[in-house]
Amino acid sequence: MQLTETQRQRYWQAVEFAGRQVAATIDRTPDYFPIYTSAGKWFHQGELWTDWTGGFFAGQMWLFHRHTGDPAWARQAEHYSRLLEHRQHDRNVHDLGFIFLNTYLPWYELTGDPRLHDVIVQAGRTLAMRFQERGQYLRSFVAPESLFIDIMMNVPLIALVARETGDDNLLRIALAHSLTTRDTIVRADGSTAHEGIFDLETGRFLRQSTHQGLAAESAWARGLAWSLYGFSSMYRYTGRAELLEVAERNAAYWLAHLPADHVPYWDFDADLSRPHPWGPQKDSSAGAIAASGLMNLAQQTASPERAQAYRATALAMLDALVAPEYLADQTPGWEGILMHGVYHTAKNLGVDESVMWGDFFLVEGLVKALAAEREAAST
Ligand code: GLY
């Protein structure tokens, strides 16, 4: 990946700033896993809705270690990862991929320690227990009849564990969930609904729905980013072409609808004439997730033209997100890294704030772009 000198410098500065922000959060509130800021401050007693983001805080520490090679970051990352270990048995959330793919997986890849492998395998098996045979999907945390698009970011954990253990039943579950998602809440134009609702008696799909988007039939931006990235990860672990096709369909919608400033509104169907928070609110976190996902997809697509378009869009989004309007490095007192994210508009949680996954995926995208350039230069 070819970066300009300006990009190289700005991306390095942004990662260094991110490291300083995370270190300051650790100092201020040791062993605390922030989720979203309130007026720019992490520590508060606000509602969580669900506890799903610990892996992004610890995961940033693994990314800083990968980027700098500094063993102090590895020690910090190990400590924070260990605090999440008990979640391998957590049957209350559908988010074990978010937690373990960003913590125990990089830790295991670094060390090869079989005890870490055991934790990953257990987490994958726990997640698979959410599978509804009637309907062929992993249920969301809200109800047995509910499937969320976000689960596409978590189901790759099951596919990974299936590959590692040779467990065909886990592979069956991971593929079935992905194909049910494709057939029910990914639309022909590549946009996605947040949620699918099923009849528990028959397993029949009933309707599309939403919690965090504008409407059942709208394209909630972060959900689309989860889908793009998640189907691309499923392709990575299974090699199944029909899963790559979905990620590329999501990408086509993303590229066709992204605003000219390269940062999405929180919902692609948001009515920009409506007042805050329903109108022209950006969700920088959706941009960060999609930028990182498009970089993965650029490596996977069979089309050189699309690979070029994915890379160019990913870098344009990163450029926008490291500008002072979005990166908090010129906003004194702000404790997050990436500003102007959204957690939950309808509940008015973390609207126009930093959100932990926005910070994580921005750092992941930047570290990946810088590493890819270094690798290209050394071959
Ligand atoms: N719960 C996943 C999200 O807010 O995107």
Side-chain angles (χ1 to χ4, degrees):
M1 185 166 324
Q2 193 72 38
L3 302 179
T4 65
E5 188 51 36
T6 310
Q7 283 172 322
R8 193 174 303 119
Q9 275 183 17
R10 189 65 185 138
Y11 292 8
W12 270 95
Q13 286 165 355
V15 178
E16 281 174 3
F17 167 69
R20 291 197 298 278
Q21 291 296 82
V22 169
T25 300
I26 293 171
D27 285 348
R28 257 192 322 270
T29 48
D31 294 357
Y32 169 67
F33 287 91
I35 296 193
Y36 60 94
T37 61
S38 178
K41 307 289 183 204
W42 285 122
F43 186 73
H44 56 88
Q45 305 297 337
E47 188 192 339
L48 303 183
W49 194 37
T50 171
D51 183 5
W52 60 287
T53 67
F56 301 132
F57 193 49
Q60 282 184 79
M61 300 170 205
W62 286 113
L63 289 169
F64 296 139
H65 175 255
R66 172 179 161 193
H67 181 66
T68 62
D70 182 348
W73 274 123
R75 282 195 296 277
Q76 216 43 293
E78 286 178 20
H79 173 75
Y80 274 83
S81 298
R82 243 186 233 109
L83 295 176
L84 297 167
E85 185 169 316
H86 65 285
R87 303 290 299 275
Q88 68 186 299
H89 301 292
D90 186 344
R91 296 193 59 184
N92 294 321
V93 299
H94 56 244
D95 303 303
L96 298 185
F98 283 135
I99 295 170
F100 288 96
L101 291 172
N102 300 316
T103 55
Y104 275 73
L105 182 60
W107 191 2
Y108 172 65
E109 284 171 347
L110 193 68
T111 62
D113 183 340
R115 283 169 305 180
L116 306 174
H117 191 260
D118 290 348
V119 173
I120 296 167
V121 169
Q122 180 57 53
R125 293 198 189 288
T126 304
L127 183 59
M129 291 176 198
R130 306 188 76 76
F131 193 63
Q132 304 280 305
E133 290 292 347
R134 286 190 198 152
Q136 299 282 293
Y137 60 93
L138 296 158
R139 53 160 293 188
S140 82
F141 82 98
V142 296
E145 61 269 28
S146 158
L147 170 164
F148 274 14
I149 194 68
D150 327 14
I151 300 174
M152 280 314 303
M153 288 295 280
N154 295 287
V155 68
L157 173 65
I158 301 178
L160 169 72
V161 172
R163 198 181 70 179
E164 292 286 308
T165 60
D167 185 328
D168 287 342
N169 191 42
L170 289 182
L171 180 61
R172 175 185 72 88
I173 287 172
L175 288 174
H177 174 84
S178 304
L179 296 177
T180 302
T181 303
R182 176 194 68 177
D183 295 341
T184 56
I185 61 172
V186 181
R187 306 185 184 110
D189 66 359
S191 70
T192 51
H194 182 193
E195 187 182 35
I197 303 291
F198 292 74
D199 181 325
L200 285 178
E201 289 297 312
T202 63
R204 197 166 62 85
F205 173 67
L206 297 177
R207 63 180 183 280
Q208 298 182 351
S209 174
T210 197
H211 293 261
Q212 285 161 279
L214 181 71
E217 59 282 1
S218 75
W220 174 47
R222 194 159 68 250
L224 181 58
W226 291 145
S227 184
L228 184 164
Y229 195 131
F231 274 101
S232 153
S233 298
M234 275 301 293
Y235 174 65
R236 174 175 168 203
Y237 290 130
T238 65
R240 298 280 290 246
E242 66 268 45
L243 303 176
L244 179 61
E245 182 278 323
V246 185
E248 295 219 55
R249 200 161 10 121
N250 296 148
Y253 186 94
W254 191 277
L255 267 57
H257 293 83
L258 191 64
D261 66 358
H262 300 113
V263 182
Y265 294 101
W266 67 286
D267 193 299
F268 281 100
D269 294 298
D271 175 354
L272 303 187
S273 67
R274 282 181 76 182
H276 177 84
W278 296 95
Q281 172 62 49
K282 295 285 191 175
D283 182 5
S284 57
S285 77
I289 297 158
S292 192
L294 282 171
M295 276 192 264
N296 295 346
L297 208 50
Q299 308 273 359
Q300 297 172 321
T301 180
S303 155
E305 293 77 26
R306 287 201 297 272
Q308 172 56 28
Y310 298 158
R311 258 187 226 109
T313 305
L315 293 185
M317 288 197 284
L318 290 179
D319 290 348
L321 298 178
V322 297
E325 192 183 343
Y326 287 95
L327 194 75
D329 62 345
Q330 290 170 44
T331 304
W334 195 274
E335 293 176 359
I337 296 161
L338 182 63
M339 302 186 291
H340 308 302
V342 175
Y343 181 13
H344 198 308
T345 305
K347 286 178 174 286
N348 199 21
L349 300 180
V351 177
D352 204 12
E353 294 287 346
S354 286
V355 291
M356 190 46 73
W357 54 94
D359 286 8
F360 172 84
F361 284 99
L362 176 66
V363 172
E364 183 183 81
L366 295 171
V367 166
K368 229 161 30 185
L370 289 165
E373 201 201 28
R374 271 200 306 254
E375 275 156 31
S378 68
T379 52

